[in-house]
Amino acid sequence: METIFSKIIRHEIPAEIVFQDELVTAFRDISPQAPTHILIVPNKLIPTINDVTVQDEATLGHMVTVAAKIAKQEGVDESGYRLIMNCNSDAGQEVFHIHMHLLGGKKLGNIV
Ligand code: 5GP
């Protein structure tokens, strides 16, 4: 079932999109937890990490290279940043269209 992220990808509802190509879309989180907080999402709907298949490997790898490119654009590549993907309820996943959080621009607390 589609989420709000599919509408953002199709430009049907507003979001500050910072990068888009045929595989992924990246936009600023509506409720930023750090000075830089960007979500990188596959254009294809994949509800959770549990639903990822071998066919998705190129897209998931691309999400990481796009994240690195955006981190440089945002000026946090040298200071540092964190990439997070939440899966299901214990991790606090709220939107069931997989996404990678890119957080940076401040000292981030240790979680692992
Ligand atoms: P999750 O908890 O699922 O890993 O993260 C979902 C993220 O999506 C949250 O950080 C939340 O603030 C963000 N989010 C939810 N709805 C919207 C929206 O409509 N627009 C944008 N830009 N971000 C959203």
Side-chain angles (χ1 to χ4, degrees):
M1 201 170 53
E2 274 194 5
T3 74
I4 197 132
F5 288 0
S6 290
K7 292 191 167 66
I8 289 174
I9 291 161
R10 294 196 300 262
H11 300 222
E12 290 169 5
I13 62 161
E16 196 181 337
I17 293 177
V18 298
F19 180 89
Q20 187 165 45
D21 66 11
E22 67 285 1
L23 290 178
V24 306
T25 301
F27 51 91
R28 290 191 196 281
D29 196 290
I30 204 165
S31 174
Q33 305 300 309
T36 292
H37 187 172
I38 289 166
L39 301 173
I40 299 143
V41 314
N43 294 338
K44 172 191 169 188
L45 169 56
I46 304 170
T48 78
I49 299 285
N50 293 335
D51 302 303
V52 168
T53 68
V54 172
Q55 281 71 40
D56 300 318
E57 284 177 357
T59 301
L60 268 81
H62 191 54
M63 286 165 70
V64 176
T65 53
V66 166
K69 188 192 298 225
I70 293 170
K72 195 174 174 65
Q73 243 170 245
E74 293 285 312
V76 299
D77 53 328
E78 293 301 328
S79 52
Y81 56 95
R82 182 171 291 155
L83 301 177
I84 298 175
M85 295 182 80
N86 293 319
C87 182
N88 281 336
S89 83
D90 276 3
Q93 183 176 3
E94 287 172 359
V95 178
F96 287 83
H97 181 141
I98 64 167
H99 47 280
M100 180 181 282
H101 296 257
L102 189 169
L103 294 150
K106 72 171 188 182
K107 197 88 182 160
L108 301 163
N110 287 337
I111 55 165
V112 284

PDB file of all heavy atoms in Angstrom, residues 29-59:
ATOM      1  N   ASP A  29      13.613  15.893   5.799  1.00  0.00           N
ATOM      2  CA  ASP A  29      12.618  15.373   6.736  1.00  0.00           C
ATOM      3  C   ASP A  29      11.761  16.531   7.245  1.00  0.00           C
ATOM      4  O   ASP A  29      12.266  17.615   7.543  1.00  0.00           O
ATOM      5  CB  ASP A  29      13.321  14.670   7.903  1.00  0.00           C
ATOM      6  CG  ASP A  29      12.380  13.778   8.685  1.00  0.00           C
ATOM      7  OD1 ASP A  29      11.494  14.324   9.385  1.00  0.00           O
ATOM      8  OD2 ASP A  29      12.530  12.547   8.600  1.00  0.00           O
ATOM      9  N   ILE A  30      10.470  16.285   7.369  1.00  0.00           N
ATOM     10  CA  ILE A  30       9.534  17.324   7.808  1.00  0.00           C
ATOM     11  C   ILE A  30       9.762  17.689   9.282  1.00  0.00           C
ATOM     12  O   ILE A  30       9.383  18.775   9.727  1.00  0.00           O
ATOM     13  CB  ILE A  30       8.079  16.848   7.568  1.00  0.00           C
ATOM     14  CG1 ILE A  30       7.125  18.022   7.439  1.00  0.00           C
ATOM     15  CG2 ILE A  30       7.612  15.854   8.605  1.00  0.00           C
ATOM     16  CD1 ILE A  30       5.766  17.657   6.857  1.00  0.00           C
ATOM     17  N   SER A  31      10.367  16.788  10.030  1.00  0.00           N
ATOM     18  CA  SER A  31      10.585  17.014  11.462  1.00  0.00           C
ATOM     19  C   SER A  31      12.057  16.720  11.791  1.00  0.00           C
ATOM     20  O   SER A  31      12.389  15.699  12.398  1.00  0.00           O
ATOM     21  CB  SER A  31       9.637  16.086  12.234  1.00  0.00           C
ATOM     22  OG  SER A  31       9.880  16.161  13.592  1.00  0.00           O
ATOM     23  N   PRO A  32      12.948  17.635  11.374  1.00  0.00           N
ATOM     24  CA  PRO A  32      14.385  17.324  11.437  1.00  0.00           C
ATOM     25  C   PRO A  32      14.908  17.103  12.855  1.00  0.00           C
ATOM     26  O   PRO A  32      14.591  17.862  13.765  1.00  0.00           O
ATOM     27  CB  PRO A  32      15.048  18.551  10.782  1.00  0.00           C
ATOM     28  CG  PRO A  32      14.013  19.620  10.753  1.00  0.00           C
ATOM     29  CD  PRO A  32      12.672  18.957  10.814  1.00  0.00           C
ATOM     30  N   GLN A  33      15.701  16.054  13.000  1.00  0.00           N
ATOM     31  CA  GLN A  33      16.313  15.718  14.293  1.00  0.00           C
ATOM     32  C   GLN A  33      17.762  16.192  14.369  1.00  0.00           C
ATOM     33  O   GLN A  33      18.451  15.936  15.365  1.00  0.00           O
ATOM     34  CB  GLN A  33      16.263  14.204  14.510  1.00  0.00           C
ATOM     35  CG  GLN A  33      14.866  13.619  14.410  1.00  0.00           C
ATOM     36  CD  GLN A  33      13.909  14.207  15.441  1.00  0.00           C
ATOM     37  OE1 GLN A  33      14.213  14.235  16.634  1.00  0.00           O
ATOM     38  NE2 GLN A  33      12.775  14.713  14.978  1.00  0.00           N
ATOM     39  N   ALA A  34      18.229  16.873  13.335  1.00  0.00           N
ATOM     40  CA  ALA A  34      19.603  17.402  13.284  1.00  0.00           C
ATOM     41  C   ALA A  34      19.594  18.492  12.217  1.00  0.00           C
ATOM     42  O   ALA A  34      18.671  18.561  11.395  1.00  0.00           O
ATOM     43  CB  ALA A  34      20.570  16.279  12.906  1.00  0.00           C
ATOM     44  N   PRO A  35      20.602  19.375  12.216  1.00  0.00           N
ATOM     45  CA  PRO A  35      20.629  20.449  11.214  1.00  0.00           C
ATOM     46  C   PRO A  35      20.501  19.920   9.777  1.00  0.00           C
ATOM     47  O   PRO A  35      19.848  20.540   8.947  1.00  0.00           O
ATOM     48  CB  PRO A  35      21.988  21.115  11.462  1.00  0.00           C
ATOM     49  CG  PRO A  35      22.246  20.881  12.923  1.00  0.00           C
ATOM     50  CD  PRO A  35      21.701  19.503  13.196  1.00  0.00           C
ATOM     51  N   THR A  36      21.149  18.798   9.492  1.00  0.00           N
ATOM     52  CA  THR A  36      20.914  18.112   8.216  1.00  0.00           C
ATOM     53  C   THR A  36      20.153  16.826   8.524  1.00  0.00           C
ATOM     54  O   THR A  36      20.621  15.983   9.293  1.00  0.00           O
ATOM     55  CB  THR A  36      22.240  17.761   7.515  1.00  0.00           C
ATOM     56  OG1 THR A  36      22.877  18.971   7.103  1.00  0.00           O
ATOM     57  CG2 THR A  36      22.012  16.876   6.292  1.00  0.00           C
ATOM     58  N   HIS A  37      18.952  16.709   7.991  1.00  0.00           N
ATOM     59  CA  HIS A  37      18.166  15.477   8.157  1.00  0.00           C
ATOM     60  C   HIS A  37      17.413  15.252   6.848  1.00  0.00           C
ATOM     61  O   HIS A  37      16.405  15.901   6.556  1.00  0.00           O
ATOM     62  CB  HIS A  37      17.193  15.583   9.330  1.00  0.00           C
ATOM     63  CG  HIS A  37      16.490  14.284   9.642  1.00  0.00           C
ATOM     64  ND1 HIS A  37      15.692  14.126  10.757  1.00  0.00           N
ATOM     65  CD2 HIS A  37      16.465  13.079   8.996  1.00  0.00           C
ATOM     66  CE1 HIS A  37      15.211  12.885  10.775  1.00  0.00           C
ATOM     67  NE2 HIS A  37      15.662  12.240   9.716  1.00  0.00           N
ATOM     68  N   ILE A  38      17.955  14.335   6.071  1.00  0.00           N
ATOM     69  CA  ILE A  38      17.434  14.065   4.734  1.00  0.00           C
ATOM     70  C   ILE A  38      17.046  12.592   4.649  1.00  0.00           C
ATOM     71  O   ILE A  38      17.709  11.728   5.238  1.00  0.00           O
ATOM     72  CB  ILE A  38      18.501  14.458   3.677  1.00  0.00           C
ATOM     73  CG1 ILE A  38      18.604  15.991   3.645  1.00  0.00           C
ATOM     74  CG2 ILE A  38      18.181  13.891   2.299  1.00  0.00           C
ATOM     75  CD1 ILE A  38      19.795  16.538   2.942  1.00  0.00           C
ATOM     76  N   LEU A  39      15.960  12.325   3.957  1.00  0.00           N
ATOM     77  CA  LEU A  39      15.510  10.948   3.739  1.00  0.00           C
ATOM     78  C   LEU A  39      15.823  10.556   2.298  1.00  0.00           C
ATOM     79  O   LEU A  39      15.509  11.313   1.365  1.00  0.00           O
ATOM     80  CB  LEU A  39      14.002  10.847   3.970  1.00  0.00           C
ATOM     81  CG  LEU A  39      13.524  11.263   5.368  1.00  0.00           C
ATOM     82  CD1 LEU A  39      11.991  11.284   5.436  1.00  0.00           C
ATOM     83  CD2 LEU A  39      14.086  10.340   6.445  1.00  0.00           C
ATOM     84  N   ILE A  40      16.455   9.420   2.134  1.00  0.00           N
ATOM     85  CA  ILE A  40      16.770   8.907   0.800  1.00  0.00           C
ATOM     86  C   ILE A  40      15.894   7.672   0.601  1.00  0.00           C
ATOM     87  O   ILE A  40      15.964   6.730   1.401  1.00  0.00           O
ATOM     88  CB  ILE A  40      18.273   8.569   0.697  1.00  0.00           C
ATOM     89  CG1 ILE A  40      19.084   9.843   0.927  1.00  0.00           C
ATOM     90  CG2 ILE A  40      18.617   7.963  -0.671  1.00  0.00           C
ATOM     91  CD1 ILE A  40      20.328   9.637   1.685  1.00  0.00           C
ATOM     92  N   VAL A  41      15.052   7.702  -0.418  1.00  0.00           N
ATOM     93  CA  VAL A  41      14.073   6.630  -0.594  1.00  0.00           C
ATOM     94  C   VAL A  41      14.155   6.056  -2.007  1.00  0.00           C
ATOM     95  O   VAL A  41      14.410   6.798  -2.955  1.00  0.00           O
ATOM     96  CB  VAL A  41      12.630   7.136  -0.293  1.00  0.00           C
ATOM     97  CG1 VAL A  41      12.559   7.941   0.974  1.00  0.00           C
ATOM     98  CG2 VAL A  41      12.052   7.920  -1.433  1.00  0.00           C
ATOM     99  N   PRO A  42      13.920   4.751  -2.137  1.00  0.00           N
ATOM    100  CA  PRO A  42      13.829   4.193  -3.496  1.00  0.00           C
ATOM    101  C   PRO A  42      12.529   4.680  -4.135  1.00  0.00           C
ATOM    102  O   PRO A  42      11.511   4.794  -3.445  1.00  0.00           O
ATOM    103  CB  PRO A  42      13.804   2.681  -3.260  1.00  0.00           C
ATOM    104  CG  PRO A  42      13.307   2.501  -1.874  1.00  0.00           C
ATOM    105  CD  PRO A  42      13.698   3.733  -1.094  1.00  0.00           C
ATOM    106  N   ASN A  43      12.549   4.953  -5.425  1.00  0.00           N
ATOM    107  CA  ASN A  43      11.311   5.365  -6.094  1.00  0.00           C
ATOM    108  C   ASN A  43      10.280   4.227  -6.077  1.00  0.00           C
ATOM    109  O   ASN A  43       9.086   4.475  -6.011  1.00  0.00           O
ATOM    110  CB  ASN A  43      11.602   5.802  -7.527  1.00  0.00           C
ATOM    111  CG  ASN A  43      12.459   7.063  -7.568  1.00  0.00           C
ATOM    112  OD1 ASN A  43      12.509   7.824  -6.605  1.00  0.00           O
ATOM    113  ND2 ASN A  43      13.146   7.272  -8.678  1.00  0.00           N
ATOM    114  N   LYS A  44      10.793   2.992  -6.125  1.00  0.00           N
ATOM    115  CA  LYS A  44       9.917   1.818  -6.046  1.00  0.00           C
ATOM    116  C   LYS A  44       9.470   1.610  -4.601  1.00  0.00           C
ATOM    117  O   LYS A  44      10.293   1.703  -3.680  1.00  0.00           O
ATOM    118  CB  LYS A  44      10.727   0.606  -6.529  1.00  0.00           C
ATOM    119  CG  LYS A  44      10.059  -0.731  -6.351  1.00  0.00           C
ATOM    120  CD  LYS A  44      11.050  -1.884  -6.604  1.00  0.00           C
ATOM    121  CE  LYS A  44      10.431  -3.196  -6.163  1.00  0.00           C
ATOM    122  NZ  LYS A  44      11.416  -4.306  -6.198  1.00  0.00           N
ATOM    123  N   LEU A  45       8.198   1.313  -4.417  1.00  0.00           N
ATOM    124  CA  LEU A  45       7.704   1.051  -3.064  1.00  0.00           C
ATOM    125  C   LEU A  45       8.187  -0.310  -2.563  1.00  0.00           C
ATOM    126  O   LEU A  45       7.857  -1.358  -3.143  1.00  0.00           O
ATOM    127  CB  LEU A  45       6.168   1.085  -3.051  1.00  0.00           C
ATOM    128  CG  LEU A  45       5.492   0.584  -1.773  1.00  0.00           C
ATOM    129  CD1 LEU A  45       5.989   1.340  -0.542  1.00  0.00           C
ATOM    130  CD2 LEU A  45       3.989   0.681  -1.888  1.00  0.00           C
ATOM    131  N   ILE A  46       8.981  -0.267  -1.488  1.00  0.00           N
ATOM    132  CA  ILE A  46       9.386  -1.477  -0.754  1.00  0.00           C
ATOM    133  C   ILE A  46       8.994  -1.167   0.694  1.00  0.00           C
ATOM    134  O   ILE A  46       9.525  -0.230   1.277  1.00  0.00           O
ATOM    135  CB  ILE A  46      10.910  -1.719  -0.847  1.00  0.00           C
ATOM    136  CG1 ILE A  46      11.381  -1.790  -2.306  1.00  0.00           C
ATOM    137  CG2 ILE A  46      11.297  -2.990  -0.086  1.00  0.00           C
ATOM    138  CD1 ILE A  46      12.909  -1.783  -2.478  1.00  0.00           C
ATOM    139  N   PRO A  47       8.025  -1.893   1.273  1.00  0.00           N
ATOM    140  CA  PRO A  47       7.503  -1.490   2.587  1.00  0.00           C
ATOM    141  C   PRO A  47       8.528  -1.534   3.721  1.00  0.00           C
ATOM    142  O   PRO A  47       8.605  -0.596   4.524  1.00  0.00           O
ATOM    143  CB  PRO A  47       6.347  -2.462   2.846  1.00  0.00           C
ATOM    144  CG  PRO A  47       5.932  -2.934   1.489  1.00  0.00           C
ATOM    145  CD  PRO A  47       7.195  -2.963   0.665  1.00  0.00           C
ATOM    146  N   THR A  48       9.281  -2.633   3.833  1.00  0.00           N
ATOM    147  CA  THR A  48      10.268  -2.743   4.919  1.00  0.00           C
ATOM    148  C   THR A  48      11.538  -3.395   4.372  1.00  0.00           C
ATOM    149  O   THR A  48      11.533  -4.004   3.298  1.00  0.00           O
ATOM    150  CB  THR A  48       9.770  -3.615   6.108  1.00  0.00           C
ATOM    151  OG1 THR A  48       9.889  -4.993   5.756  1.00  0.00           O
ATOM    152  CG2 THR A  48       8.341  -3.285   6.514  1.00  0.00           C
ATOM    153  N   ILE A  49      12.589  -3.323   5.148  1.00  0.00           N
ATOM    154  CA  ILE A  49      13.845  -3.984   4.757  1.00  0.00           C
ATOM    155  C   ILE A  49      13.613  -5.487   4.553  1.00  0.00           C
ATOM    156  O   ILE A  49      14.282  -6.124   3.742  1.00  0.00           O
ATOM    157  CB  ILE A  49      14.925  -3.766   5.847  1.00  0.00           C
ATOM    158  CG1 ILE A  49      15.234  -2.282   6.028  1.00  0.00           C
ATOM    159  CG2 ILE A  49      16.199  -4.535   5.535  1.00  0.00           C
ATOM    160  CD1 ILE A  49      16.053  -1.686   4.940  1.00  0.00           C
ATOM    161  N   ASN A  50      12.637  -6.049   5.274  1.00  0.00           N
ATOM    162  CA  ASN A  50      12.338  -7.480   5.120  1.00  0.00           C
ATOM    163  C   ASN A  50      11.846  -7.823   3.719  1.00  0.00           C
ATOM    164  O   ASN A  50      11.854  -8.999   3.329  1.00  0.00           O
ATOM    165  CB  ASN A  50      11.262  -7.911   6.125  1.00  0.00           C
ATOM    166  CG  ASN A  50      11.754  -7.833   7.552  1.00  0.00           C
ATOM    167  OD1 ASN A  50      12.944  -7.913   7.804  1.00  0.00           O
ATOM    168  ND2 ASN A  50      10.830  -7.643   8.483  1.00  0.00           N
ATOM    169  N   ASP A  51      11.373  -6.819   2.989  1.00  0.00           N
ATOM    170  CA  ASP A  51      10.823  -7.048   1.647  1.00  0.00           C
ATOM    171  C   ASP A  51      11.850  -6.840   0.534  1.00  0.00           C
ATOM    172  O   ASP A  51      11.524  -6.986  -0.645  1.00  0.00           O
ATOM    173  CB  ASP A  51       9.627  -6.110   1.418  1.00  0.00           C
ATOM    174  CG  ASP A  51       8.556  -6.310   2.465  1.00  0.00           C
ATOM    175  OD1 ASP A  51       8.085  -7.453   2.599  1.00  0.00           O
ATOM    176  OD2 ASP A  51       8.224  -5.346   3.180  1.00  0.00           O
ATOM    177  N   VAL A  52      13.072  -6.487   0.897  1.00  0.00           N
ATOM    178  CA  VAL A  52      14.120  -6.262  -0.109  1.00  0.00           C
ATOM    179  C   VAL A  52      14.498  -7.590  -0.764  1.00  0.00           C
ATOM    180  O   VAL A  52      14.600  -8.614  -0.086  1.00  0.00           O
ATOM    181  CB  VAL A  52      15.355  -5.624   0.564  1.00  0.00           C
ATOM    182  CG1 VAL A  52      16.557  -5.638  -0.361  1.00  0.00           C
ATOM    183  CG2 VAL A  52      15.040  -4.189   1.005  1.00  0.00           C
ATOM    184  N   THR A  53      14.674  -7.557  -2.082  1.00  0.00           N
ATOM    185  CA  THR A  53      15.085  -8.771  -2.801  1.00  0.00           C
ATOM    186  C   THR A  53      16.423  -8.511  -3.497  1.00  0.00           C
ATOM    187  O   THR A  53      16.891  -7.367  -3.565  1.00  0.00           O
ATOM    188  CB  THR A  53      14.051  -9.166  -3.886  1.00  0.00           C
ATOM    189  OG1 THR A  53      14.087  -8.170  -4.912  1.00  0.00           O
ATOM    190  CG2 THR A  53      12.648  -9.280  -3.321  1.00  0.00           C
ATOM    191  N   VAL A  54      16.985  -9.575  -4.046  1.00  0.00           N
ATOM    192  CA  VAL A  54      18.249  -9.461  -4.786  1.00  0.00           C
ATOM    193  C   VAL A  54      18.114  -8.425  -5.909  1.00  0.00           C
ATOM    194  O   VAL A  54      19.052  -7.695  -6.215  1.00  0.00           O
ATOM    195  CB  VAL A  54      18.656 -10.846  -5.342  1.00  0.00           C
ATOM    196  CG1 VAL A  54      19.846 -10.748  -6.274  1.00  0.00           C
ATOM    197  CG2 VAL A  54      18.969 -11.793  -4.199  1.00  0.00           C
ATOM    198  N   GLN A  55      16.926  -8.351  -6.499  1.00  0.00           N
ATOM    199  CA  GLN A  55      16.696  -7.388  -7.600  1.00  0.00           C
ATOM    200  C   GLN A  55      16.826  -5.941  -7.126  1.00  0.00           C
ATOM    201  O   GLN A  55      17.001  -5.037  -7.935  1.00  0.00           O
ATOM    202  CB  GLN A  55      15.295  -7.579  -8.211  1.00  0.00           C
ATOM    203  CG  GLN A  55      15.170  -8.740  -9.182  1.00  0.00           C
ATOM    204  CD  GLN A  55      15.241 -10.094  -8.502  1.00  0.00           C
ATOM    205  OE1 GLN A  55      14.686 -10.297  -7.420  1.00  0.00           O
ATOM    206  NE2 GLN A  55      15.940 -11.034  -9.106  1.00  0.00           N
ATOM    207  N   ASP A  56      16.734  -5.719  -5.832  1.00  0.00           N
ATOM    208  CA  ASP A  56      16.798  -4.356  -5.293  1.00  0.00           C
ATOM    209  C   ASP A  56      18.220  -3.942  -4.901  1.00  0.00           C
ATOM    210  O   ASP A  56      18.443  -2.814  -4.451  1.00  0.00           O
ATOM    211  CB  ASP A  56      15.894  -4.232  -4.046  1.00  0.00           C
ATOM    212  CG  ASP A  56      14.440  -4.533  -4.369  1.00  0.00           C
ATOM    213  OD1 ASP A  56      13.960  -4.075  -5.422  1.00  0.00           O
ATOM    214  OD2 ASP A  56      13.789  -5.222  -3.564  1.00  0.00           O
ATOM    215  N   GLU A  57      19.183  -4.853  -5.050  1.00  0.00           N
ATOM    216  CA  GLU A  57      20.524  -4.564  -4.536  1.00  0.00           C
ATOM    217  C   GLU A  57      21.153  -3.338  -5.188  1.00  0.00           C
ATOM    218  O   GLU A  57      21.787  -2.525  -4.507  1.00  0.00           O
ATOM    219  CB  GLU A  57      21.435  -5.786  -4.689  1.00  0.00           C
ATOM    220  CG  GLU A  57      21.122  -6.852  -3.634  1.00  0.00           C
ATOM    221  CD  GLU A  57      21.952  -8.128  -3.786  1.00  0.00           C
ATOM    222  OE1 GLU A  57      22.749  -8.219  -4.748  1.00  0.00           O
ATOM    223  OE2 GLU A  57      21.790  -9.010  -2.938  1.00  0.00           O
ATOM    224  N   ALA A  58      20.943  -3.169  -6.494  1.00  0.00           N
ATOM    225  CA  ALA A  58      21.533  -1.997  -7.165  1.00  0.00           C
ATOM    226  C   ALA A  58      20.935  -0.714  -6.594  1.00  0.00           C
ATOM    227  O   ALA A  58      21.649   0.264  -6.345  1.00  0.00           O
ATOM    228  CB  ALA A  58      21.300  -2.082  -8.670  1.00  0.00           C
ATOM    229  N   THR A  59      19.635  -0.738  -6.360  1.00  0.00           N
ATOM    230  CA  THR A  59      18.964   0.462  -5.823  1.00  0.00           C
ATOM    231  C   THR A  59      19.468   0.761  -4.416  1.00  0.00           C
ATOM    232  O   THR A  59      19.753   1.921  -4.080  1.00  0.00           O
ATOM    233  CB  THR A  59      17.431   0.239  -5.800  1.00  0.00           C
ATOM    234  OG1 THR A  59      17.000  -0.017  -7.129  1.00  0.00           O
ATOM    235  CG2 THR A  59      16.713   1.458  -5.255  1.00  0.00           C
TER     236      THR A  59
END
